[in-house]
Each structure stands twice: as C-alpha cells, then as structure tokens.
Amino acid sequence: MNVATPLAPIVCAIDDVYVEPLRTLMRSIAVAHGPDVDELRLVVLDQGLAPENTASILRDAESLGLLVEIRSIPDADPDLPIGAWYSRAIYARMTIPDVIEDEPRVLYMDVDTLVLGDLRPLLVRDLGGHPIGAARDPISPLIGHGPGMPGWKALGLPEGRAYFNSGVMLLDLARIRGSRLFERAREFLAEHPDKVHFYDQDALNYAADGDWHRIESRWNTFAMSPRGPEYVHPAEHVNPLAGLIEDEKSAAVIHFAGRKKPWQDNYPASELRDLYRHFQLSAWDAIRT
C-alpha cells in the first residue's frame, strides 16, 4: 500500500429506514480491518435521522473503534423522478460534492453492502485523472445489454459502451466539481425521466460519458447466488452468471443489490444471507455490550 497517500474516507447516506443496515456494514468494516480499523474514517450523510438512531450509530462506532462523523444533508430536489421501488433517498449520494468540501476524494458505499476484505488498497487507488472509479455493473455491463439506460438509442448513446454500478464509487471531488458532473446528472434526470430505469445510476453514467476508471469486480461483487435457479440473467452473453457467482468467493465487498434485501424475511435462504445476518447480529451484540 502507498502509505504516502492519505486514505479517502468512506461515505454512506441513510435515513431512519437504513440505520440497521449501516450498523451491520460498520461491523463488517471493523471485522475486515481488525486492529487497523482506527485508520479508517466513515462519514454518514444524515437524511433526517431520529436522535436515538444517531446515538445508536455513534455508540456502535465507539464500540468498534471506527471513527464516524455524521453530517446533515439537504432534502432531495423534488423535481427529480422517483418510482414504485425507489424514493428520493437514492439521490443522497448526489449531494456529496456539496456537503463534503474538506476532502479531495471519498469512497461512496451503499449500505446494502458487506466489507469482507481490506479496503485500504482501494482508498488510495489512482484514478488516472478520471472523476469516478467504479466497477462495471454485473446486470447491465454494457449500454444496450441489460436494463440500465433503456432510452440509450433515443439519447444517441453508443451501444456497447461500458456502464458502471454506482453502489460503490471512488470519487475525485475536485474533478467532479470542475466538470459539474453531478449537476449535469441531475439536469439530465429532470429532462429525461422517461429514458432511465436506475435513475441516479443511469444519470451518472450519462453525465460521465465514458470518463470513469474501471475498478475490479471484487470491490463491488453482486450477491448473485441467492437469486436461485429460476433467475434469468439479462447479460448472460456478456457476463455469464456462473462467473459472477464464482466472483463471490474472492469478493472484498459484497453488494446485495436488488429489491430483496438480506435483512428482510423474504430474502432467499443462502450462505450469503446467513453471512449477512451473522454481521447483523454482531452489530446488535456490540450495542448490548
């Protein structure tokens, strides 16, 4: 690891609904880094947390030895679109360049993730001049191949251009501000709500226009094995499902993307569900002790 490069802080954004997943993620970070967890910093973007939830997060942080800071963020723009399976909470990550002005780079992580490996090599990763570092989306790896960016033809986008997942992103904040990347993403969403499927993720891919650094899938490995034999993978010809399931064995970050979440009763019984719930229970144990 390049010790001369400071570690970028990790950033998550939550409201009261996602407090428990955040606590579970924090526990996994602590376990993955052991006695070195005090080298890491976590910034939690607060979308109106109840005082008791803020207190529980900070108690967990102290118990785990993880430095946590909570920052309030403004409400999402009411003009941005939402759907049946999404709320405006998905736009919290879009505030990062505005509310984190004191850091050159951050690692954004969705809270439906588990950390299983040392994040420090990623936290010092050179982005080669690109504003975003991200992994290719397993479900929509290329424009025109998967559910992402359904309006690509009407928008004049090239078929086959790589498409990233926004659940784990290393962000060069100065470059993002200089290019107005996030502002342009919001403008795109307001103008073309009928041409997107994943809302903010589609918008960020549109605004980035291919200007992003591809990181390895181990930093954002989708939990594919719990989807079961009935699952039909839309990008099988590009990203074979068998390979995606094999990736789970070497994952540094497991991402439970999709509508079903491992803390819900309807999540399929599987090894990854059991792994998640182990950390979930450990998070509660940390509070009780």
Side-chain angles (χ1 to χ4, degrees), residues 174-250:
R175 291 187 182 278
I176 287 172
R177 294 188 196 100
S179 64
R180 296 187 62 253
L181 194 154
F182 280 31
E183 289 94 334
R184 289 186 288 109
R186 289 194 291 265
E187 291 165 3
F188 165 78
L189 270 177
E191 294 171 8
H192 302 286
D194 58 327
K195 294 183 174 61
V196 299
H197 178 70
F198 293 120
Y199 293 103
D200 59 322
Q201 180 170 285
D202 284 352
L204 288 170
N205 271 275
Y206 179 86
D209 196 26
D211 182 16
W212 56 280
H213 173 77
R214 182 174 171 181
I215 62 176
E216 298 80 8
S217 62
R218 69 184 301 265
W219 299 115
N220 188 0
T221 300
F222 275 25
M224 302 298 289
S225 57
R227 300 188 181 217
E230 71 282 359
Y231 173 70
V232 178
H233 180 37
E236 179 66 27
H237 59 296
V238 179
N239 260 6
L241 180 59
L244 296 178
I245 293 175
E246 185 69 18
D247 286 346
E248 294 173 2
K249 297 177 181 178
S250 58

Side-chain angles (χ1 to χ4, degrees), residues 4 12 19 70 90 102-103 108 194 218:
C12 297
V19 171
I70 299 179
I90 63 173
D102 52 333
E103 301 286 351
Y108 170 80
D194 58 327
R218 69 184 301 265

Side-chain angles (χ1 to χ4, degrees), residues 11-17 19 22 42-55 57-58 68-76 89 92-93 95-96 99-100:
V11 175
C12 297
I14 64 165
D15 55 19
D16 284 322
V17 174
V19 171
L22 173 69
L42 173 64
V43 179
V44 178
L45 303 184
D46 170 6
Q47 294 179 296
L49 290 172
E52 61 269 24
N53 286 330
T54 298
I57 292 167
L58 294 176
V68 173
E69 176 190 355
I70 299 179
R71 299 191 188 190
S72 297
I73 60 173
D75 293 336
R93 77 194 77 185
T95 69
I96 290 174
V99 299
I100 302 183

Side-chain angles (χ1 to χ4, degrees), residues 19-285:
V19 171
E20 186 177 336
L22 173 69
R23 295 169 66 191
T24 303
L25 171 59
M26 288 167 56
R27 180 62 179 175
S28 75
I29 291 171
V31 170
H33 295 86
D36 297 325
V37 67
D38 60 357
E39 296 182 17
L40 305 182
R41 294 176 292 145
L42 173 64
V43 179
V44 178
L45 303 184
D46 170 6
Q47 294 179 296
L49 290 172
E52 61 269 24
N53 286 330
T54 298
S56 72
I57 292 167
L58 294 176
R59 285 199 305 269
D60 267 7
E62 183 177 3
S63 174
L64 298 169
L66 177 64
L67 181 61
V68 173
E69 176 190 355
I70 299 179
R71 299 191 188 190
S72 297
I73 60 173
D75 293 336
D77 186 341
D79 293 331
L80 295 177
I82 57 173
W85 297 100
Y86 300 97
S87 72
R88 288 193 174 85
I90 63 173
Y91 297 118
R93 77 194 77 185
M94 307 287 273
T95 69
I96 290 174
D98 301 321
V99 299
I100 302 183
E101 299 180 318
D102 52 333
E103 301 286 351
R105 297 165 16 122
V106 301
L107 176 67
Y108 170 80
M109 299 185 69
D110 281 349
V111 294
D112 58 351
T113 55
L114 277 182
V115 173
L116 303 178
D118 189 346
L119 290 177
R120 288 173 293 178
L122 180 59
L123 297 175
V124 297
R125 183 73 167 261
D126 182 3
L127 294 181
H130 299 287
I132 292 176
R136 197 171 68 163
D137 190 276
I139 307 299
S140 297
L142 305 174
I143 288 177
H145 300 268
M149 198 75 77
W152 65 274
K153 285 185 180 179
L155 293 166
L157 300 179
E159 181 179 5
R161 189 174 77 191
Y163 174 99
F164 64 84
N165 180 266
S166 63
V168 178
M169 297 184 293
L170 190 58
L171 304 176
D172 183 323
L173 296 181
R175 291 187 182 278
I176 287 172
R177 294 188 196 100
S179 64
R180 296 187 62 253
L181 194 154
F182 280 31
E183 289 94 334
R184 289 186 288 109
R186 289 194 291 265
E187 291 165 3
F188 165 78
L189 270 177
E191 294 171 8
H192 302 286
D194 58 327
K195 294 183 174 61
V196 299
H197 178 70
F198 293 120
Y199 293 103
D200 59 322
Q201 180 170 285
D202 284 352
L204 288 170
N205 271 275
Y206 179 86
D209 196 26
D211 182 16
W212 56 280
H213 173 77
R214 182 174 171 181
I215 62 176
E216 298 80 8
S217 62
R218 69 184 301 265
W219 299 115
N220 188 0
T221 300
F222 275 25
M224 302 298 289
S225 57
R227 300 188 181 217
E230 71 282 359
Y231 173 70
V232 178
H233 180 37
E236 179 66 27
H237 59 296
V238 179
N239 260 6
L241 180 59
L244 296 178
I245 293 175
E246 185 69 18
D247 286 346
E248 294 173 2
K249 297 177 181 178
S250 58
V253 177
I254 289 283
H255 187 179
F256 293 90
R259 295 171 183 172
K260 294 181 180 179
K261 301 299 183 185
W263 57 85
Q264 297 171 337
D265 292 340
N266 64 349
Y267 195 80
S270 58
E271 290 184 9
L272 287 182
R273 184 200 66 173
D274 293 345
L275 175 66
Y276 186 89
R277 293 184 180 182
H278 164 75
F279 284 109
Q280 186 179 23
L281 291 170
S282 296
W284 285 107
D285 289 342

